[in-house]
Amino acid sequence: MKHPAYHLRPNKAIDRVLLLKVIDIMGRTYDLSKYTYFGLGGPFLDDIRLVGHEFPQLRFVSIERDLDTHKRQRFHCSTKRLRFVNSSVETYLKEEFPSDTLSIFWLDYTDLSPSNLEEFGEVLELVGCPSIVKVTVRAQFDRMVSSAAERVLTTDLVSTLKDGEIADFQNRFGHYIEPGLDEDQLEAPRFAFLVQSMFEIVAQRTLPSVGSKVFQLVHSCRYADGRSQMLTLTGLVCDTSERIKIQRLYRKWRYANLDWQEPHHIDVPNLSLKETLLLEKHLPALNRTGKALQRCLGYMIDESQSASERKLRQYQDFYQFYPFFAKITV
Amino acid sequence: MANRTTKYEDVPATPVKSFFVGMLTRDIHLSDAMLDLLDNCVDGILRKKKGAVDGKHPYKGFYAKIRYTKDDFQITDNCGGIPWDLHQYAFRMGRADGGADANLPTVGVYGIGMKRAIFKIGRHALIQTQHKSDAYDVEIKPSWLEDEENWMIPVQASASPMREDGTCIVISDLNQGVKSLFGDDKALFDRDFKFKLANHYAFIINKGFEVSVNGDLIKPRPTELRFETGKSKTAIRPFIYETKLDGVEVFLAVGFTHPIPSQDDVEAEQERTQYSSLDAGWTVVCNDRAVLYCDRTELTGWGEAGVPKYHTQFIAISGIVEFRSNDASKLPTTTTKRGIDASSRLYLQVKNKMREGLRIFTDFTNKWKGRGLAQQAQDRIKGAKRRSFQELKETSATLTLRNVLTGAKGRQYKPQLPMPPRADGGRQRICFVRPTKEIRDVSDYIFGRSDVSPSKVGERCFELKLKEARR
């Protein structure tokens, strides 16, 4: 029952904001008051608080397996429209989830396992059309051999261990990946792309395009969350005949990914309060290259000019939601 | 009795095209139909090399390139092309006699593969082929498919020669289901097709044949079995059987591919999927091509005659049976060449041996899977080297194979696998269920962390109490 400090993660905060954007775009065409948000919000329910603030017309369900975390969630309840369920996602989907519910379902995992992929498939199968389904998983391959160990072990042993870790991965995820996995596919950022393709395969296997409903990806991104690399992908389960319409809705969005291209990289900079106050004087701005903010600061905030500008560009996109962490005494 | 005015006459039994185009194609999966086209490439090599495909890399230098999009499909090879002498066999619907590939280890028997594959994929096909001085194009148009009267397919000399002898088939006007698989569901189809290719064509790719799909070279996924060397009396080795029956050579090996799972792994699997059973089960190979891959049903002996039904605990067990013959009609395959004729007398005889081999490894798994024992067995299997099927065939020459005198006669090697140590008074299993929270509390109390596996927590509790009881 260990939880990361959910409330202190700037990239994760942006990931939540991107979900708001996806809901907002859908809400321009569909009546959100008919929708229920399903989340695995952790002890503080940050996602539900944020989504509930922006879209108060939604109903909410929080699914939590651990009894103490469930009680803690109740303590942090932020809306009357929220129902708490003390159950695993698997059991909830099998026993309680009302099929064809118009849903905004966020499967917010902290790890990556075959059961995550299966649950994603189950949700796609069960939700009504159109529904938003978002999944977040850890997209980082844990090496058996560290680079430090590689230097002291024999080449043969390193090679055997590496073969072993690829074989283990294939043994666990073989149903979701193409054969002939390369070792460099396990390195970031290619690993995030590989994980995304695993979800693509699950989506196509669960809802083939010859069927009556399909999963249309609208956004995906990867980001560092503490020491872990995460992947988030969000899409709409919709009637097959509405796919083009859904694509049109999201086509112009800067962070759209409609055809399973490489996920966007979310990497907002760590800025001091003094820096953010300086930059905000120049925002919003039409020019979104990050160059102007770079000039405004007068120094680089990353190792290269391009990396620094890229981070500032992201800050420019999300500055309104950039989290500010401060110590307060109550 | 009323007078009947109906005049009876002979009824026509001529085939209708819609049967070939619309019905026969339902019996085969798209990826199997595409493998049929590849089989034709390999049969072309066999013809070109007059069946001389011994040695390590007899197919080196030959390739087949497959490309597909939502609009068309293309397969190009340099495997010798279709000699004009064989046009009757290649383009007629069905094979009139078996003489075309006599004394060659091909898999084509019925003369239906290429046509069925084309009709499965689309309605417009252009086949360009070149074999020595023969160079001609065959075009099948949608209008030809709809014309029930005309059974002649237009052929004309190729306008431009190919760089090498070979065949190029381009299919367009794709069927609706195929369009989806090559378009919107491409990721899934790519995965499944490449996986099938890597398995079914593992033998041939390992022998030098190059197959690419949309530019990606396919890497083979050969089944490898663990083989322990050394002088120990007991060893982790496969069961091997070989024979020659009615002109068909048979070689069979079954053993472990991975370490066996522990009881914890099996129980976790029951709750939620942890592993893909990708390599477990039987693979049947006919003339170098896998016709059945990792089967875990009664078709290959699981769940019959004393062999338990397949279960995740047997995830580490794999077997391969190879049938080789220069007369493809003697091989125990179905018309799709991706299945086994379960009533084949040859196959039924060999299946007895498949079950005999399976039993050795299911018994071993059952004896070692218990807590405290599985780890020893896992370590032992991990320490054994992996050997490919080809290597096992070579190794079998150095092993002492016993003659089999009953049933399907032949020679076999039965490994003496290690046995778990006997405990005084035998062993019994303790099993109980407690609330997760309580297990976490005990885990935290004993190990200082709450996430130790329930079985380890239970086992440690027992050890502590045992120590106390014997003090």
Side-chain angles (χ1 to χ4, degrees):
Chain A
M1 204 182 47
K2 284 174 191 160
H3 303 288
Y6 286 110
H7 50 306
L8 298 178
R9 301 178 297 172
N11 288 328
K12 179 80 182 181
I14 302 307
D15 188 15
R16 289 194 201 102
V17 171
L18 290 165
L19 173 62
L20 297 183
K21 187 71 183 170
V22 174
I23 301 173
D24 178 48
I25 293 173
M26 189 180 76
R28 293 174 204 166
T29 309
Y30 299 96
D31 179 3
L32 290 180
S33 66
K34 293 178 181 165
Y35 279 78
T36 305
Y37 176 94
F38 298 87
L40 323 174
F44 311 122
L45 297 173
D46 292 296
D47 58 333
I48 288 176
R49 197 175 317 128
L50 186 71
V51 176
H53 180 74
E54 290 292 318
F55 307 103
Q57 67 272 50
L58 295 172
R59 284 181 295 276
F60 294 87
V61 175
S62 171
I63 309 162
E64 175 55 53
R65 179 187 196 140
D66 185 84
L67 181 61
D68 286 304
T69 307
H70 166 75
K71 287 179 183 167
R72 212 169 164 192
Q73 285 184 338
R74 284 182 174 279
F75 179 77
H76 290 103
C77 180
S78 56
T79 165
K80 275 198 298 190
R81 295 171 72 85
L82 171 59
R83 191 164 78 83
F84 294 93
V85 176
N86 180 208
S87 167
S88 67
V89 176
E90 183 200 357
T91 310
Y92 178 71
L93 291 174
K94 280 201 175 76
E95 295 174 5
E96 284 189 62
F97 184 80
S99 300
D100 296 325
T101 304
L102 292 175
S103 314
I104 298 163
F105 211 124
W106 188 359
L107 291 162
D108 191 6
Y109 301 114
T110 51
D111 59 348
L112 173 67
S113 73
S115 60
N116 300 156
L117 291 145
E118 285 192 6
E119 279 170 0
F120 172 69
E122 283 169 45
V123 171
L124 297 189
E125 216 162 41
L126 290 171
V127 295
C129 288
S131 285
I132 293 173
V133 179
K134 179 180 174 84
V135 61
T136 302
V137 288
R138 187 164 181 267
Q140 185 169 320
F141 187 76
D142 292 319
R143 292 270 173 201
M144 275 198 255
V145 197
S146 66
S147 44
E150 247 180 71
R151 284 194 288 274
V152 292
L153 298 174
T154 63
T155 321
D156 271 1
L157 185 56
V158 171
S159 160
T160 308
L161 288 169
K162 283 187 172 176
D163 285 351
E165 60 190 17
I166 292 177
D168 282 348
F169 184 78
Q170 280 176 325
N171 193 25
R172 291 189 75 204
F173 294 100
H175 279 303
Y176 316 101
I177 52 174
E178 286 189 6
L181 195 64
D182 284 331
E183 207 203 317
D184 54 357
Q185 282 181 279
L186 304 175
E187 301 289 346
R190 286 191 70 192
F191 189 66
F193 195 32
L194 176 74
V195 174
Q196 180 179 289
S197 71
M198 287 157 58
F199 281 96
E200 183 183 10
I201 284 170
V202 173
Q204 292 181 1
R205 194 172 277 157
T206 312
L207 302 178
S209 63
V210 287
S212 59
K213 63 178 188 178
V214 288
F215 178 74
Q216 171 60 52
L217 182 73
V218 296
H219 161 75
S220 72
C221 66
R222 62 182 175 87
Y223 56 88
D225 193 16
R227 287 184 174 183
S228 294
Q229 286 293 322
M230 306 301 286
L231 170 80
T232 275
L233 58 93
T234 314
L236 267 72
V237 173
C238 61
D239 284 332
T240 309
S241 57
E242 291 214 316
R243 181 176 225 158
I244 305 286
K245 181 179 161 186
I246 300 293
Q247 286 174 348
R248 273 197 208 114
L249 284 179
Y250 289 92
R251 185 158 289 151
K252 285 188 180 160
W253 181 33
R254 185 183 175 119
Y255 286 93
N257 181 1
L258 301 178
D259 43 11
W260 300 92
Q261 297 295 312
E262 287 207 28
H264 293 278
H265 185 201
I266 299 299
D267 187 17
V268 288
N270 285 318
L271 297 172
S272 71
L273 178 61
K274 204 170 168 184
E275 285 169 327
T276 58
L277 290 173
L278 171 68
L279 294 176
E280 275 179 28
K281 282 185 198 164
H282 301 270
L283 294 170
L286 284 175
N287 183 325
R288 289 192 163 195
T289 59
K291 287 186 193 300
L293 295 188
Q294 174 74 75
R295 273 198 303 275
C296 166
L297 279 178
Y299 48 81
M300 292 197 302
I301 54 164
D302 207 322
E303 285 175 353
S304 69
Q305 181 85 11
S306 58
S308 183
E309 284 175 6
R310 192 172 56 241
K311 284 192 167 178
L312 287 168
R313 198 159 61 233
Q314 294 224 342
Y315 177 73
Q316 200 166 342
D317 279 350
F318 301 113
Y319 74 98
Q320 288 154 306
F321 307 96
Y322 188 82
F324 170 64
F325 306 122
K327 186 178 175 183
I328 57 166
T329 307
V330 178
Chain B
M1 202 173 175
N3 278 345
R4 299 191 63 157
T5 54
T6 311
K7 193 180 171 192
Y8 296 108
E9 57 186 24
D10 294 348
V11 290
T14 47
V16 282
K17 272 190 203 159
S18 55
F19 169 74
F20 289 100
V21 177
M23 302 303 287
L24 210 54
T25 52
R26 293 187 187 191
D27 294 343
I28 193 166
H29 190 273
L30 174 63
S31 53
D32 289 341
M34 287 160 66
L35 290 185
D36 263 358
L37 294 175
L38 263 186
D39 282 343
N40 286 345
C41 303
V42 177
D43 287 351
I45 304 173
L46 293 168
R47 266 183 233 115
K48 190 166 181 172
K49 299 195 77 174
K50 298 188 169 61
V53 286
D54 295 328
K56 273 203 157 173
H57 300 111
Y59 300 104
K60 199 171 170 60
F62 293 100
Y63 65 77
K65 294 175 182 172
I66 297 172
R67 284 191 175 276
Y68 48 82
T69 68
K70 65 179 176 35
D71 299 316
D72 54 19
F73 167 91
Q74 183 175 334
I75 179 168
T76 311
D77 72 60
N78 67 342
C79 302
I82 306 170
W84 180 246
D85 292 350
L86 287 187
H87 70 273
Q88 287 269 1
Y89 165 56
F91 299 104
R92 277 193 73 177
M93 306 286 183
R95 187 171 185 168
D97 62 72
D101 288 330
N103 293 320
L104 291 180
T106 60
V107 289
V109 182
Y110 306 99
I112 193 69
M114 180 173 73
K115 282 80 70 180
R116 177 165 54 186
I118 289 172
F119 302 148
K120 179 81 189 176
I121 296 169
R123 295 173 58 78
H124 190 172
L126 183 66
I127 304 148
Q128 186 184 7
T129 189
Q130 177 176 300
H131 173 81
K132 295 180 182 168
S133 57
D134 295 335
Y136 57 97
D137 299 350
V138 177
E139 188 172 12
I140 301 174
K141 291 181 178 173
S143 55
W144 183 87
L145 297 177
E146 284 149 20
D147 184 351
E148 285 292 350
E149 301 302 318
N150 178 17
W151 284 83
M152 301 300 286
I153 302 175
V155 178
Q156 58 183 29
S158 291
S160 52
M162 296 169 82
R163 264 199 312 191
E164 299 172 89
D165 280 1
T167 303
C168 173
I169 303 175
V170 181
I171 306 171
S172 53
D173 197 356
L174 302 183
N175 293 323
Q176 201 50 47
V178 175
K179 226 177 167 64
S180 303
L181 290 171
F182 289 175
D184 288 336
D185 298 335
K186 191 166 179 287
L188 175 65
F189 185 77
D190 273 354
R191 184 262 163 211
D192 289 352
F193 181 58
K194 287 177 181 173
F195 186 76
K196 207 161 199 172
L197 256 179
N199 295 314
H200 284 244
Y201 261 67
F203 274 66
I204 291 179
I205 295 173
N206 262 340
K207 288 183 176 182
F209 190 45
E210 276 190 8
V211 184
S212 66
V213 175
N214 295 324
D216 294 338
L217 210 57
I218 300 299
K219 289 182 195 166
R221 287 188 80 248
T223 305
E224 293 172 322
L225 301 179
R226 302 284 179 153
F227 193 101
E228 221 173 12
T229 49
K231 288 180 180 164
S232 169
K233 233 178 147 184
T234 62
I236 302 286
R237 287 180 181 180
F239 169 84
I240 293 171
Y241 168 77
E242 58 182 40
T243 189
K244 186 164 184 176
L245 295 167
D246 188 25
V248 181
E249 287 172 38
V250 181
F251 188 91
L252 172 164
V254 55
F256 289 121
T257 44
H258 306 287
I260 59 169
S262 67
Q263 190 68 29
D264 278 350
D265 296 335
V266 173
E267 280 169 15
E269 180 75 20
Q270 276 165 357
E271 282 184 21
R272 222 55 179 123
T273 309
Q274 306 284 324
Y275 299 98
S276 302
S277 295
L278 288 176
D279 303 321
W282 282 101
T283 297
V284 180
V285 179
C286 290
N287 282 353
D288 281 347
R289 282 155 272 199
V291 296
L292 197 65
Y293 180 73
C294 288
D295 182 85
R296 298 180 281 272
T297 68
E298 288 172 7
L299 183 64
T300 49
W302 288 96
E304 42 172 48
V307 177
K309 271 186 187 291
Y310 177 78
H311 182 274
T312 318
Q313 74 191 61
F314 303 126
I315 199 166
I317 303 172
S318 286
I320 314 172
V321 200
E322 184 191 41
F323 295 90
R324 290 191 75 83
S325 175
N326 281 353
D327 182 352
S329 67
K330 290 185 174 175
L331 300 171
T333 60
T334 57
T335 69
T336 61
K337 291 176 273 176
R338 306 291 158 219
I340 280 290
D341 174 8
S343 60
S344 148
R345 188 164 175 271
L346 167 68
Y347 181 67
L348 289 173
Q349 290 181 80
V350 174
K351 194 176 166 186
N352 286 335
K353 285 292 162 193
M354 291 161 69
R355 282 194 297 251
E356 185 179 335
L358 263 187
R359 266 194 296 272
I360 296 170
F361 296 94
T362 53
D363 285 352
F364 176 92
T365 308
N366 282 331
K367 279 176 186 145
W368 284 90
K369 72 180 179 190
R371 292 179 179 118
L373 287 176
Q375 186 63 48
Q376 292 174 53
Q378 285 170 348
D379 290 346
R380 187 93 189 243
I381 298 171
K382 265 184 203 163
K385 292 262 182 211
R386 295 165 197 263
R387 290 212 176 157
S388 69
F389 189 65
Q390 194 54 38
E391 286 169 332
L392 287 173
K393 282 173 87 172
E394 286 158 17
T395 307
S396 79
T398 64
L399 297 171
T400 314
L401 272 67
R402 269 193 324 102
N403 284 329
V404 179
L405 303 173
T406 54
K409 294 180 178 52
R411 296 179 342 124
Q412 72 179 33
Y413 171 77
K414 197 171 174 176
Q416 203 176 343
L417 300 177
M419 298 295 283
R422 279 173 170 251
D424 291 340
R427 287 176 177 272
Q428 281 187 315
R429 195 171 155 205
I430 302 173
C431 181
F432 56 93
V433 173
R434 283 288 179 279
T436 308
K437 195 158 177 13
E438 289 179 13
I439 298 170
R440 282 186 187 162
D441 286 345
V442 178
S443 166
D444 198 35
Y445 178 72
I446 297 176
F447 297 102
R449 41 188 267 252
S450 57
D451 56 353
V452 176
S453 76
S455 64
K456 283 209 174 102
V457 173
E459 203 168 88
R460 186 70 186 133
C461 288
F462 183 86
E463 281 165 5
L464 290 172
K465 280 292 156 193
L466 179 68
K467 205 169 166 185
E468 207 177 296
R470 287 182 173 172
R471 201 180 284 155

